Amino acid sequence: MTNKTKILFVNDEMEMGGVARVLNTLMANLDTDKFDISCLVLHKTGMLLSEIPSHVNVIEGTPFFNTIDRPLIDILNRMDIKALFSKLRLLFYMKTGLIKKRILIERKKIINETYDVELAAKEGFCTVFTAYGDSKKKINWVLTDYKQNNYSKNHMSLVIEALQKIDMNIADSEDVLQSFKEVFGITRGITIHNLMDIEKVKQGIQIGYEDAIVQPGLNVIAVARFHPQKSLERLLYAYKNAVDKGIEHNLYLIGGGETEPLLRQIVKDNNLNRVFFLGYKQNPYAYIAKCDLFVLSSLYEGFATIINESLIAGTPVLTTRVGGVSDQIVEDYQGWIVENTLEALKAGYLTALSKPDKLNDMKQTLKSYEYPNDKILKQFEEVFK
C-alpha cells in the first residue's frame, strides 16, 4: 500500500457551532486507508471535542493560545486578570507582526512532523498559523461571508500577507468565495459544499425526542445559536404578524445564547403564548421532522448546514437570502428564499403558512431528497492529494 497522505486540520476551539460540526463531519468521512488525520485545537475546549472521530490524532495547543477564541470585551466583563494579560500579549504579537516568529516557536513545542496537507479550518488566526508553518500544501477553509462580517478587520494586513503563502482557498459556497476574493484581493479559490452527517440526521429522526412537545396544527421550528447574527427577533415579529392576520400556529426555538433574554422579553411583551423555548438539543432532527416549516432568519451565513439537514429530515425551509442558500434550495419546490429584510421575512412567512397544502406537498417531495455527499467527498480528496 502507498503511504498515506498526512493531513493536519487546525481550529481554534471546538464549541457547539457550524465550523466544529462540519470539521468533524469531514474528518469522519475521509478514507483512513488514504489519509492519516490529525487535528490541532489551539485552545482545547468545547462540547464538540467529544465528537472528534476516534481515529483522529488530537493535538492540544500551548498555553499561549488559551485566549485565541475569547473576545477581549468578554474577558474585560469577567474581570479575568490572567486571561486579560494573555489576550493583550497575543494582540501585541499580532499588531506588531511578531506573531509570525512566535508561531514558529509554538509549533515546535507541539508539532514534531511535517504534514503533506495543512488546512486552516477557521479563517483568521488559523490562516496565519497555517501560513507560517512548514506543511507542504497549505489550505484555507472559508465558511462565512466576509462582506457581511469581517472577523479579520482588526488584522487585515497580517491576514492578507498570510494569504500569499496559502496554496488554495476552499469556500463552502460560490457567494462566500466571491466575497472573500473581493475583501482580501485573492484569486486562488474553489467552491466545495459542506459534507452532511446524513446518518446522524436519519438516526435522530428514528430515535425520536424526549417529550411530545409538537402540538396539533401548524408547527414552525428554528434551530440556532441565540446570537445577533441569527436575528431570531425578526422571526418572532414574523410569527406575530402571521398570528395577527389570523394564522394560529406554534413556533419552537431550539438553542440558546446571548440574545435569549431579548427574545423572551419580545415573547412576553407581545403575549406570544404559543412560542416554545426548548433549549439546546443534542438531537434536534426529530423535532424538525415533526414540523411543517423550518425558518432561518440570519443576517449572514456561509453555507448553513442546518438547511440541508432540515431537507434531509423532510421539512421545507424558509430562509433569508444569505450566502449559499441559492445553492441549497430549489425555490417553490423545497422552500422559499426571501430578501434579507424584516418586511420580506414577514411576507414570506405569511405566504408559506397560508399554503398548508403546499407545505404538505413539499414534505412528500422531500422524502426522495438526496444530498450529494459522495460527490463532495471526492472533491475534497482531490484537493488533498
Side-chain angles (χ1 to χ4, degrees), residues 93-265:
Y93 273 93
M94 293 179 72
K95 286 293 186 183
T96 58
L98 293 173
I99 192 66
K100 293 175 282 188
K101 292 183 179 179
R102 187 60 188 255
I103 283 172
L104 295 176
I105 294 170
E106 300 300 319
R107 285 181 69 103
K108 288 179 181 178
K109 297 176 184 178
I110 52 179
I111 298 175
N112 54 20
E113 59 182 311
T114 300
Y115 291 90
D116 298 302
V117 179
E118 184 171 337
L119 183 145
K122 190 180 291 183
E123 325 87 320
F125 188 84
C126 294
T127 308
V128 178
F129 184 93
T130 292
Y132 291 99
D134 60 356
S135 296
K136 297 174 184 177
K137 189 175 190 178
K138 302 171 184 178
I139 299 175
N140 186 47
W141 205 6
V142 188
L143 300 170
T144 196
D145 187 337
Y146 267 75
K147 284 179 69 176
Q148 299 299 321
N149 191 48
N150 186 349
Y151 291 108
S152 299
K153 61 185 178 182
N154 295 322
H155 309 285
M156 285 293 287
S157 60
L158 179 65
V159 175
I160 289 172
E161 184 180 352
L163 284 169
Q164 303 311 306
K165 298 179 179 295
I166 295 292
D167 299 299
M168 177 64 69
N169 294 281
I170 301 175
D172 56 2
S173 77
E174 189 61 28
D175 293 337
V176 165
L177 179 60
Q178 294 308 317
S179 290
F180 195 74
K181 284 182 173 182
E182 186 173 330
V183 170
F184 291 98
I186 63 154
T187 57
R188 300 180 306 281
I190 60 173
T191 297
I192 304 179
H193 294 160
N194 295 334
L195 285 168
M196 297 292 143
D197 193 340
I198 295 171
E199 287 307 308
K200 183 176 181 179
V201 177
K202 291 182 175 179
Q203 289 171 8
I205 295 169
Q206 294 299 319
I207 291 170
Y209 42 80
E210 304 86 42
D211 43 47
I213 192 70
V214 176
Q215 307 293 320
L218 277 172
N219 292 288
V220 180
I221 191 165
V223 180
R225 288 179 299 122
F226 293 178
H227 181 276
Q229 172 194 349
K230 305 301 180 179
S231 197
L232 288 165
E233 63 275 13
R234 296 198 296 183
L235 173 55
L236 291 177
Y237 291 130
Y239 170 87
K240 181 181 183 301
N241 179 63
V243 170
D244 288 346
K245 288 181 168 49
I247 301 179
E248 291 295 333
H249 63 291
N250 308 298
L251 173 62
Y252 307 94
L253 302 178
I254 291 180
E258 63 191 85
T259 64
E260 185 166 346
L262 168 64
L263 301 176
R264 288 187 177 275
Q265 192 62 49

Side-chain angles (χ1 to χ4, degrees), residues 333-378:
Y333 185 70
Q334 298 167 338
W336 295 266
I337 301 172
V338 299
E339 294 308 311
N340 204 337
T341 66
L342 173 58
E343 291 308 312
L345 183 62
K346 283 181 177 180
Y349 192 88
L350 196 60
T351 295
L353 295 189
S354 298
K355 300 178 179 180
D357 289 342
K358 188 173 182 66
L359 285 172
N360 186 60
D361 289 343
M362 286 182 174
K363 285 187 74 72
Q364 294 303 312
T365 298
L366 286 170
K367 288 181 179 180
S368 60
Y369 174 79
E370 293 185 3
Y371 188 77
N373 254 11
D374 290 344
K375 175 184 175 183
I376 293 168
L377 186 58
K378 286 180 182 177

Side-chain angles (χ1 to χ4, degrees), residues 4-5 30 89 113 115-117 159 171 181 206-207 276 287 294 310 315 335:
K4 296 181 183 181
T5 299
L30 287 172
R89 179 180 61 172
E113 59 182 311
Y115 291 90
D116 298 302
V117 179
V159 175
K181 284 182 173 182
Q206 294 299 319
I207 291 170
F276 302 93
Y287 293 91
F294 182 95
S310 181
T315 300

Side-chain angles (χ1 to χ4, degrees), residues 54-106:
S54 59
H55 63 268
V56 174
N57 173 39
V58 180
I59 304 170
E60 182 174 1
T62 67
F64 179 80
F65 302 111
N66 280 353
T67 56
I68 191 65
D69 56 319
R70 294 186 61 184
L72 180 59
I73 187 65
D74 176 65
I75 294 172
L76 289 170
N77 288 339
R78 294 173 183 270
M79 293 298 291
D80 187 336
I81 302 302
K82 183 178 180 181
L84 178 61
F85 174 79
S86 177
K87 187 70 175 183
L88 291 176
R89 179 180 61 172
L90 178 63
L91 291 174
F92 169 78
Y93 273 93
M94 293 179 72
K95 286 293 186 183
T96 58
L98 293 173
I99 192 66
K100 293 175 282 188
K101 292 183 179 179
R102 187 60 188 255
I103 283 172
L104 295 176
I105 294 170
E106 300 300 319

